């Protein structure tokens, strides 16, 4: 699940202020770069061969980008080190890779590497292939592309969500519109695009209805906070880089010693360094927040002046015209709305599992701490009711007037500091149709039935064609990371529906097994590329990742692959514009140099430099600061220009869209029970709520084949001792996790760190089915649903009910 | 439970049996006179064979046996160094004893050599127990370990002595109340009983020592009672059955019946031996380390 | 090269990411199952389910990363029959593979589980404090790797001045046994040494 598309470009407006001196510090930092020769150390076992150290990076989808320093001798990587430049002073600190980056050589040399182009020989998904030449493979793709274009048009071509090489600049695999595949398709008539991400579908869709966008203060801004409350935000696991958010958080907290409260169903690794953990049932954040609002309003802790000045729809006096009485947020909280239920702490307690006295105490702490940082991760929103949950959490920031000030926050996830480095140009997509990232399996099955009002099709009332051709470059969402693997496998297994799947990949992943044509890609250590920082608060950087070793086997990079295919489609010149991959990198340098001071002029200089670091010259980023300072001069991008607690747009959507029974799109952030949640009647059959989490072993499914990582962080089902005891499960026992969609078998981790009634499965384990179709890897998507969330039509992968038994 | 440490199981039991055989059989000869010496002829050689076999098995435990000469370099600190030295000295002494008993010229020294060998044997048992009495392994670090090893030596040594005597007893002194075989058997029974007493004192002491729970939430005793209860109970039963069988053999001998004596004696020894082997596996499974 | 190097681990900021473990495995090219550095997860506390469907708990968890503490009175050295396990002039405990017989005795005795057996080589192996890096003036691989800067190393006396005596927190054993060169900054929920309120919950990982 992808982590970066809503990463705010909040450097805009201050790029001219970047200080050259800071940049120069970064240059000095990586003075080594490539080309340094020294004797290998004995412990590496390399002997006395001359060894080079080459600066490269890790490009996976974790939100961070880390410096790797590869030791290489005789075209073999012998060791991976990380940024060791300078004195590590914060602001120009080392971008230290996490455990995954440090295991990179085991990934490059994994036995699962694809060696040659292959064409499917068995049934799709069976994993039977025959070796072919690159020419044969590309010829076959070109022939089929022309055939499908003729019969269905360019709208039948889909670029699937793929984030395995998110960090690359030329080899970028997501968003689709920034990839070489998109450039190829755009030269040749376009493709069906998608909006949203598996990481953030609901929050990225919903927050703009509240604020006009989805921004948050930098985490480093908590130096000014009196209290930090994180809802489902776990940077210790989701932002592990030593140059990223967890480092920023710990440094800021060391300075201010601010109290940190974590609200989460799990005692996360972030909770391990926090001051308090409040355990909440999954999918009930909106109920908790409504009860906190009830206390804030009842005890006069709400910032009425802020609500009157900056917001629409808090109370009946500030509603859009023409809305029925008692539709405001305050009416909802106090029980004056249609449901007549006051959202008291006692009401919420029985839903959330949080004792009423804890809710009252939390509300008072939030109301009295000035300023208070309310933030959320992307867990609360990855639910059937996630669009309301994320807005409900943000309401705590709005109610207490913490929006737009230092030390406060919007209630969204943290923002940061970026540099404006140029993207690989991909031209314009002539096809404007878009579907939600999560709806592609439906678009295969019933493409032309899918409409704007029923299925969230963008820019067209009804899809023109079903998906007939899938490009899957560097991704595992074709099978592993999409919900309900059994349904996905059945849909893909019907070869008459989607007629061709092309997978360009490093490894034989569960998704690669479903390819018709399987192309072996280079890892980013086998190609030249750049990568640019994303999730970082006070220091941005670019890494010039020099090729470490020659491509293994017959692997080829995506740019050359697309260029050769473009030749077969008659668009080679448009695609390449006469440039090689390295010439495009040179082009990107030239495009970026005016905006990022200190960039090298040539590729050779870049490789020598290795990394350029830019320190944030200003204060930590504060979202909507200009709006807070002057709401008239700097309105938000909502229709009213204000914070729309009641969204007239959502009201209209809720009254015009065709929604399945039980789905709701309320105008204010209400709590709605989930089809598979704590209040669901389905719990009598499947009593445990399954949520997934980002695990140190993998970035989603990337690195899922590295034995070192499996050894130090094995895949396990987390289950509370109470639930385990009722099922006679002991720590380490093999258990079956199952519901009516599938079964996964995995070892149990019996731990009090997960609440009773909830089980956790780290997302991303590589689906490993047996003859009966039961997975034996602990692959969470055996159990998740393809029923999309109401508004974003996004993936509700934390809304799954399951049962667990000893295997 | 039985996956690892089998070389050490065999090593410790064979060496303890070797020591026990030497001590019990020498004492039997001291009290039983020439007839007893005839019946127990070659006892030092059997002891030597057991000990050498044990030592050879111990190499199966080592990752790099070729480095084993280095194993006596840390006598100042390491009980394991001392164990290796003591065991080697004991076996060396048995070699000397075997030679002195076979060469008329040296026969005069054999009693002295036997005494030295017996003392070295006792020292080996003591040092061997100290090897396992590690401060970081509470279940081992108790007098139970010494009792365990002493008990094994006495019980197995007694049974081996008895078996040796039985196998050579032709029944010539049939019916005599104080026949050589009866005197040997009395001594054998005494030592077997002492061995069993040591074992039955050891059991509660080791279970108590094993109660200490480490930071992983594991105690040797709780692990034993949940995962190793079967082997543990069987071990105790086998020891009792083996000894009872031997009492029956001894009683039969002393009453003068000689039907299938050797077979029964062998059976008794093997049942007790099986109990000891099982018990030793249990012992090694009680390695529960404190700390991380 | 320090005269008397020691490790320091800040429990208050360690998130248990295990980067130190992988950096160590990569630097030393360790075989499967051999972990010169291990991150233990110590957790405890319990849950009460109340009649109104709410829950209360006193759950806590923290991580502690330990390699070898190069103890002042190393039990591995004293039990080793061959003197293969020895302390060098800087106090770093090393294995002389040309002497080691692979008897596992040090492994049985070390309460930090520092000695790690290499089955293929038939000898014991362990953390050498990256003595090669230290001689080049570089920090050990694990220290240089730590994303949260929780793991550091330094001169024993300086660390002692900064952090006081070796911290007596669970699940560490009594430092009196081996006198480890390890300093610990306890976190908010740290439990005292010998506490029975928690246990190591990830035995399969360490």
């Amino acid at each position: 699940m992808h982590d970066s598309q809503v990463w705010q470009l909040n450097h805009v407006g201050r790029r001219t202020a970047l200080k050259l001196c800071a940049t120069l510090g970064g240059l000095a930092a990586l003075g080594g770069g490539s080309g340094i020769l020294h004797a290998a150390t004995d412990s590496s076992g390399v002997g006395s061969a001359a060894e080079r150290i080459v600066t490269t990076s890790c490009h996976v989808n974790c939100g961070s980008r880390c410096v790797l320093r590869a030791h290489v001798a005789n075209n073999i990587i012998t060791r991976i080190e990380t940024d060791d430049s300078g004195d590590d002073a914060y602001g120009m600190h080392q971008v230290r890779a996490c455990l995954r980056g440090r295991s990179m050589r085991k990934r490059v040399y994994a036995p699962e590497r694809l060696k040659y182009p292959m064409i499917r020989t068995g049934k799709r998904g069976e994993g039977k292939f025959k070796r072919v030449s690159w020419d044969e493979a590309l010829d076959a793709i070109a022939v089929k592309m022309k055939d499908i274009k003729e019969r269905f048009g360019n709208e039948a071509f889909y670029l699937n969500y793929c984030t395995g090489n998110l960090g690359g600049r030329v080899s970028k695999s997501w968003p689709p519109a920034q990839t070489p595949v998109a450039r190829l398709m755009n030269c040749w008539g376009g493709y069906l695009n998608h909006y949203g991400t598996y990481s953030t579908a609901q929050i990225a869709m919903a927050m703009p209805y509240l604020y006009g966008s989805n921004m948050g203060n930098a985490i480093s801004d908590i130096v000014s906070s009196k209290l930090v409350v994180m809802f489902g935000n776990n940077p210790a696991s989701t932002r592990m880089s030593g140059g990223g958010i967890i480092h920023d958080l710990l440094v800021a907290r060391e300075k201010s010693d601010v109290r940190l409260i974590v609200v989460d169903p799990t005692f996360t690794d972030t909770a391990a360094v926090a001051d308090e953990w409040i355990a909440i049932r999954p999918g009930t954040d909106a109920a908790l927040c409504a009860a906190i609002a009830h206390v804030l309003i009842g005890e006069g802790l709400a910032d009425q002046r802020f609500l009157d000045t900056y917001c629409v729809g808090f109370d009946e006096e500030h509603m859009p015209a023409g809305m029925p009485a008692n539709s405001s947020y305050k009416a909802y909280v106090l029980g004056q709305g249609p449901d007549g239920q006051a959202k008291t702490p006692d009401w919420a307690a029985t839903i959330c599992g949080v004792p009423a006295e804890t809710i009252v105490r939390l509300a008072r702490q939030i109301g009295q701490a000035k300023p208070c940082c309310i933030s959320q991760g992307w867990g609360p929103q990855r639910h059937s009711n996630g669009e309301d949950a994320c807005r409900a959490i943000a309401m705590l920031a709005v109610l207490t007037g913490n929006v737009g000030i230092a030390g406060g926050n919007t209630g969204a996830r943290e923002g940061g500091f970026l540099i404006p480095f140029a993207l690989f140009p991909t031209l314009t997509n002539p096809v404007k149709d878009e579907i939600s990232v999560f709806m592609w399996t439906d678009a295969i099955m019933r493409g032309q039935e899918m409409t704007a009002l029923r299925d969230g099709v963008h820019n067209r009332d009804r899809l023109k064609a079903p998906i007939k051709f899938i490009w899957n470059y560097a991704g595992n969402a074709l099978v592993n990371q999409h919900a309900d693997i059994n349904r996905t496998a059945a849909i893909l297994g019907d070869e008459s529906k989607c007629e061709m799947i092309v997978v360009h990949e490093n490894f034989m992943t569960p998704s690669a097994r479903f390819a018709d044509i399987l192309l072996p890609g280079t890892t980013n250590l086998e190609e030249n590329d750049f990568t640019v920082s994303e999730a970082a608060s006070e220091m941005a950087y670019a890494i010039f990742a020099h090729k470490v070793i020659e491509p293994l086997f017959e692997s080829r990079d995506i740019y050359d692959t697309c260029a050769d295919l473009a030749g077969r489609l008659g668009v080679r010149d448009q695609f390449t514009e006469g440039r090689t991959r390295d010439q495009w990198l040179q082009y990107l340098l030239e495009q970026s140099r005016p905006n990022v001071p200190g960039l090298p002029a040539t590729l050779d200089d870049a490789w020598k430099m290795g990394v350029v670091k830019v320190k944030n010259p200003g204060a930590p980023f504060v979202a909507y600061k200009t709006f807070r300072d002057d709401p008239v001069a700097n309105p938000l991008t909502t229709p009213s220009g204000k914070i729309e607690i009641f969204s007239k747009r959502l009201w209209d959507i809720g009254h015009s869209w065709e929604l399945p029974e039980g789905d709701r799109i309320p105008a204010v952030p209400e709590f709605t029970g989930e089809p598979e949640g704590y209040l669901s009647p389905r719990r009598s059959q499947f009593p445990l709520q399954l949520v997934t989490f980002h695990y140190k072993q993998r970035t989603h499914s990337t690195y899922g084949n590295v034995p070192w990582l499996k050894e130090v962080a094995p895949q396990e089902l987390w289950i509370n001792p109470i639930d385990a005891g009722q099922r006679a499960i002991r720590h380490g026992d093999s258990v079956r996790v199952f519901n009516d969609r599938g079964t996964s078998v995995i070892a149990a981790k019996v731990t009090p760190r997960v609440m009773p009634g909830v089980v956790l499965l780290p997302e991303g384990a590589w689906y490993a089915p047996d003859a009966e179709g039961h997975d034996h890897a602990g692959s969470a998507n055996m159990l998740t649903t393809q029923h999309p969330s109401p508004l974003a039509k996004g993936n509700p992968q934390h809304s799954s009910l399951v049962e667990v038994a000893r295997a | 439970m039985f996956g690892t440490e089998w070389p050490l199981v065999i090593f410790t039991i064979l060496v303890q049996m070797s020591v026990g055989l030497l001590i019990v059989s020498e004492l039997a000869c001291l009290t039983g006179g020439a007839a007893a010496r005839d019946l127990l002829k070659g006892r030092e050689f059997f002891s030597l064979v057991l000990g050498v076999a044990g030592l050879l098995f111990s190499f199966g435990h080592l990752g790099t046996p070729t480095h084993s000469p280095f194993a006596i370099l840390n006598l100042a600190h390491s009980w394991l160094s001392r164990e290796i030295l003591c065991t080697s000295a004991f076996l060396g002494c048995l070699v000397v004893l075997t030679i002195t008993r076979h060469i008329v010229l040296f026969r005069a020294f054999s009693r002295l050599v036997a005494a030295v060998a017996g003392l070295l044997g006792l020292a080996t048992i003591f040092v061997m127990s100290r090897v396992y009495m590690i401060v970081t392994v509470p279940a081992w670090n108790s007098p139970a370990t010494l009792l365990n090893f002493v008990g094994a030596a006495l019980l197995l040594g007694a049974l081996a002595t008895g078996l040796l005597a039985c196998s050579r007893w032709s029944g010539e002194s049939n019916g005599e109340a104080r026949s050589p075989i009866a005197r040997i058997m009395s001594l054998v029974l005494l030592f077997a009983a002492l061995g069993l007493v040591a074992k039955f004192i050891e059991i509660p002491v080791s279970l108590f020592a094993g109660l200490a729970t480490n930071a992983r939430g594991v105690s040797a005793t709780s692990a034993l009672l949940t995962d190793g209860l079967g082997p543990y109970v069987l071990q105790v039963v086998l020891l009792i059955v083996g000894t009872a069988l031997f009492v029956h053999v001894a009683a039969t001998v002393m009453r003068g019946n000689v039907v299938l004596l050797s077979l029964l004696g062998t059976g008794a020894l093997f049942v007790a031996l099986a109990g000891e082997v099982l018990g030793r596996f249990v012992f090694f499974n009680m390695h529960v380390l404190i700390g991380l | 090269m320090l005269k008397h190097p020691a490790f320091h681990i800040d429990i208050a900021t360690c998130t248990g990411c295990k980067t130190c473990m992988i950096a160590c495995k990569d630097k030393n090219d360790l075989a499967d199952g051999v972990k010169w550095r291990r991150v233990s997860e110590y957790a405890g506390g319990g849950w009460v389910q109340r009649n109104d469907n709410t829950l209360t708990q006193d759950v806590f968890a923290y991580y502690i990363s330990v390699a070898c503490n190069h103890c002042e009175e190393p039990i591995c050295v004293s039990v080793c029959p061959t003197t293969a396990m020895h302390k060098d002039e800087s106090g770093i405990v090393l294995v002389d593979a040309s002497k080691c017989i692979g008897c596992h005795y040090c492994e049985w005795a070390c309460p930090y589980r520092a000695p790690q057996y290499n089955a293929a080589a038939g000898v014991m192996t362990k953390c050498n404090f990256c003595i090669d890096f230290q001689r080049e003036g570089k920090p050990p691989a694990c220290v240089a790797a730590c994303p949260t800067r929780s793991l550091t190393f330094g001169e024993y006396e300086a660390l002692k001045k900064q952090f006081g005596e070796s911290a007596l927190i669970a699940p560490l054993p009594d430092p009196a046994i081996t006198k480890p060169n390890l300093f610990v900054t306890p976190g908010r929920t740290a439990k005292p040494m010998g506490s029975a309120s928690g246990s190591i919950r990830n035995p399969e990982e360490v």
Side-chain angles (χ1 to χ4, degrees), chain B residues 5 8 61-64 67-68 70-71 73-74 77-78 80-81 131-132 134-137 140 215-216 287 289-292, chain C residues 66 75 77-82 97-103 105 108-111 113 117 122-123 171 177 199-200 206:
Chain B
E5 314 302 5
L8 290 184
H61 167 74
L62 301 183
T64 311
H67 290 173
S68 50
F70 298 122
L73 291 182
N74 198 14
H77 302 106
S78 172
L80 186 52
S81 270
V131 166
Y132 295 93
I134 311 170
V135 65
T136 52
V137 185
W140 287 355
R216 296 184 175 199
H287 176 267
L289 191 56
I290 64 159
L292 296 174
Chain C
V66 171
I75 193 168
V77 171
S78 61
V79 301
C80 175
T82 65
S98 68
K99 272 189 190 169
C100 177
I101 56 173
C103 71
Y105 200 23
W108 286 357
C110 173
R113 297 181 194 258
Y117 190 62
V123 292
I177 300 172
S199 63
I200 293 172
V206 294

Side-chain angles (χ1 to χ4, degrees), chain A residues 608-684:
Chain A
K608 281 180 195 136
M609 189 180 283
V611 184
V612 61
K613 295 178 181 175
V614 182
K615 187 176 182 177
N616 176 11
F621 176 71
V622 174
Y624 312 128
K625 183 173 187 309
T626 56
F627 165 70
R628 182 67 185 260
D629 292 346
D630 187 345
V632 178
N634 309 301
L636 297 179
T637 56
T638 54
S640 64
K642 293 187 175 185
I643 298 171
E644 297 194 341
I645 299 171
F646 179 100
S647 168
K648 176 65 166 53
R649 289 181 294 170
L650 286 179
W651 171 272
D652 293 340
I653 288 172
H655 287 80
S656 60
W657 281 20
E658 301 162 36
L659 295 173
E661 180 73 28
D663 279 13
R664 294 180 69 228
I665 301 177
V668 297
E670 299 180 8
F671 168 72
T672 305
E674 302 179 282
E676 299 196 30
Y678 177 66
L679 300 177
S680 162
R682 200 175 136 86
R683 224 160 54 80
S684 61

Side-chain angles (χ1 to χ4, degrees), chain B residues 148-162:
Chain B
N148 186 354
F149 291 181
V150 168
L154 295 182
L155 182 64
L156 297 176
L159 265 53
T161 305

Side-chain angles (χ1 to χ4, degrees), chain A residues 117-121 128-130 132 136-137 140 516-518:
Chain A
M118 292 192 283
I119 289 185
R120 174 168 66 83
T121 55
K128 289 184 182 161
F129 297 92
K130 68 169 181 189
V132 295
E136 285 173 282
D516 297 315
I517 298 192
L518 191 44

